[in-house]
Amino acid sequence: MTNRDKLWTPGFLVLWQSQLVSTVGDAVYAIALGFWVLATTGSTALMGALMAASTLPGVLVSPFAGVLVDRSNKKRLMIAMDFIRGVAIVLLAAASLTGIIKIWMVFAAGIVLSVCGAVFTPGVQSSVPDIVPKSKISNANAAFSVVLTGASLIGNAGGGFLYQALGAPLLFLANGLSYLFSGVCLPFVKIPSVRHIEKPHFWKDMADGFTYMWRLKGLRLILVIAALINFFSFVAITLILPYCQFNPRLGAVAYGVLMACFMGGAVAGFTALSIFCFKPQHKMAVFIISNFSCYVFLIIAVNQPNLVVMDVLLVLAGAANAAMNVLMVSTVQASTPAALRGKVMSFMRMTTTGLTPFAMALAGVLGGFLPLRLIITGAFACGLLVSLPAYFSKPFRAFLSAEDLAEACLNAQKA
């Protein structure tokens, strides 16, 4: 294997390592922040408002963030986002350590994290095809997904313990320093800059991105299906906690074990996908098998009484979900020209993340007058149903299985 075929080049390793540190910091910070707000105010409504403030601004700025990513030096932009987030959280930690912290400061920090994250995330996603060989894009996404899922697993498992042992101020400080660490590492990653002969007007640049997505039916289908899958999945996921809480045979401990099994399965799936590659002609079959099996495992798990069987099914569902996600994200990245990649990845993030609050709200409303198990089962079934058209779609199949996605997209645009 030549250096050009390697995934774990020094640049990719530095980027992966910096993301590992900052993402673990994020996961622990989120748990500590929730405990701190409840301990300080006793208000679940305020905690919910903080979660909204930490999500909604990023959703609103995502379309503009994508244009900014494509028009700027990506590396410098990502470094700036890391340092802004790091300074904001370090200042919050200092306020907490000195006892002058106020709730408005926490909200302000949440907004800063949300907006900077909306710029940083598509910056990283759009840079992946520039720093790894085309044949390794799926492996690179799987490697990054190991970081995200593993950090969530660590945060859920150890966040509460660390909060009790160290307290919120020190955990705030650790998260701020993790961002600064990431910002210091990024200069060592070689990310080529996209040279524009003549930069179009900002609004025209944004319109060009939407036009590109709309003209490619295969790409359009992937974005729509990803958004719908995420929506129905979050309806179900939101209600799993109360379902466990109100179920005498489950409870809070069982909920933690079930979530750990699902995320553990996802970590295992992402780890395997970071090593092994799928040939283009096999990608459609892998997508169908992983998508179908994921939802079947989830539906069976919710509707049977044995906790051990539920755990095994959730491990399998997590691994299948990993394969499905890696295939879709990698296809979008590989199919999009560098000059448009930030806009496309931002739009994908906006449509998937932007629907999450509505999914949570719908879950809460439905949970007020329908059996929780029925809603969870129905939501997972809807996730499978909205995926079925892709199984039989020629544009989707051709797009996912193309040997040379860039050439396929060029031909589709000409057609």
Side-chain angles (χ1 to χ4, degrees):
M1 180 182 290
T2 65
N3 288 333
R4 295 181 63 185
D5 296 326
K6 288 184 178 180
L7 170 64
W8 295 98
T9 60
F12 181 78
L13 180 60
V14 169
L15 183 60
W16 185 87
Q17 182 181 348
S18 67
Q19 290 305 288
L20 174 64
V21 173
S22 63
T23 307
V24 170
D26 267 349
V28 174
Y29 171 77
I31 300 295
L33 188 61
F35 280 119
W36 181 85
V37 171
L38 286 176
T40 304
T41 67
S43 172
T44 55
L46 195 59
M47 186 182 73
L50 178 60
M51 291 175 64
S54 300
T55 303
L56 188 58
V59 173
L60 295 177
V61 304
S62 284
F64 310 99
V67 180
L68 182 62
V69 168
D70 286 335
R71 295 167 68 92
S72 307
N73 182 299
K74 291 178 186 177
K75 182 162 70 173
R76 292 177 184 173
L77 188 62
M78 289 190 290
I79 292 172
M81 294 302 102
D82 264 341
F83 275 105
I84 291 172
R85 290 187 291 184
V87 170
I89 303 304
V90 167
L91 290 176
L92 184 68
S96 183
L97 288 168
T98 56
I100 63 172
I101 189 171
K102 305 293 182 184
I103 289 296
W104 70 262
M105 298 179 185
V106 179
F107 274 85
I111 293 171
V112 170
L113 291 183
S114 182
V115 172
C116 290
V119 177
F120 185 88
T121 301
V124 172
Q125 292 176 329
S126 64
S127 300
V128 168
D130 296 324
I131 61 176
V132 301
K134 286 185 178 180
S135 62
K136 299 295 181 182
I137 291 177
S138 293
N139 305 92
N141 282 301
F144 279 123
S145 296
V146 169
V147 169
L148 295 173
T149 310
S152 179
L153 183 60
I154 293 171
N156 282 284
F161 172 78
L162 291 174
Y163 175 80
Q164 293 292 334
L166 302 177
L170 289 180
L171 294 182
F172 292 172
L173 179 62
N175 190 39
L177 294 177
S178 74
Y179 282 125
L180 296 177
F181 173 80
S182 176
V184 170
C185 289
L186 283 174
F188 299 97
V189 181
K190 186 178 180 180
I191 302 175
S193 298
V194 177
R195 294 186 178 182
H196 300 271
I197 298 175
E198 182 180 351
K199 286 187 179 180
H201 189 274
F202 187 92
W203 297 108
K204 184 182 184 302
D205 200 4
M206 182 182 292
D208 288 343
F210 283 105
T211 301
Y212 174 82
M213 289 181 280
W214 181 256
R215 285 180 178 175
L216 297 177
K217 190 174 182 180
L219 174 58
R220 194 164 73 237
L221 280 171
I222 287 181
L223 295 175
V224 170
I225 289 171
L228 291 175
I229 285 176
N230 192 72
F231 176 82
F232 287 113
S233 296
F234 262 96
V235 171
I237 291 169
T238 301
L239 295 176
I240 290 179
L241 191 152
Y243 173 70
C244 291
Q245 183 177 356
F246 297 133
N247 192 320
R249 65 184 176 85
L250 296 176
V253 174
Y255 170 76
V257 173
L258 291 172
M259 291 298 98
C261 286
F262 182 80
M263 289 186 287
V267 169
F270 287 130
T271 302
L273 290 167
S274 70
I275 301 171
F276 301 105
C277 295
F278 295 121
K279 294 182 179 179
Q281 63 267 30
H282 297 156
K283 286 183 178 180
M284 191 65 204
V286 173
F287 174 80
I288 292 174
I289 293 171
S290 60
N291 176 266
F292 186 82
S293 59
C294 176
Y295 283 110
V296 169
F297 290 147
L298 289 170
I299 291 170
I300 296 174
V302 173
N303 288 280
Q304 62 82 48
N306 190 296
L307 181 59
V308 175
V309 176
M310 289 180 73
D311 292 337
V312 173
L313 289 170
L314 285 176
V315 170
L316 296 174
N321 185 65
M324 178 175 59
N325 284 331
V326 166
L327 279 175
M328 288 196 291
V329 173
S330 300
T331 300
V332 173
Q333 288 173 327
S335 67
T336 308
L340 296 171
R341 204 175 291 137
K343 290 183 280 291
V344 173
M345 299 311 300
S346 289
F347 182 79
M348 189 174 190
R349 182 180 187 274
M350 180 188 72
T351 53
T352 53
T353 308
L355 291 176
T356 300
F358 298 101
M360 291 178 172
L362 178 61
V365 172
L366 294 176
F369 59 88
L370 289 175
L372 295 180
R373 185 168 64 178
L374 177 63
I375 303 170
I376 296 171
T377 302
F380 282 140
C382 287
L384 177 58
L385 288 174
V386 298
S387 306
L388 291 179
Y391 295 4
F392 310 100
S393 169
K394 289 183 179 180
F396 185 92
R397 183 182 296 272
F399 198 79
L400 196 69
S401 305
E403 289 278 357
D404 190 333
L405 279 169
E407 183 179 348
C409 292
L410 182 61
N411 293 334
Q413 280 191 300
K414 289 179 179 178

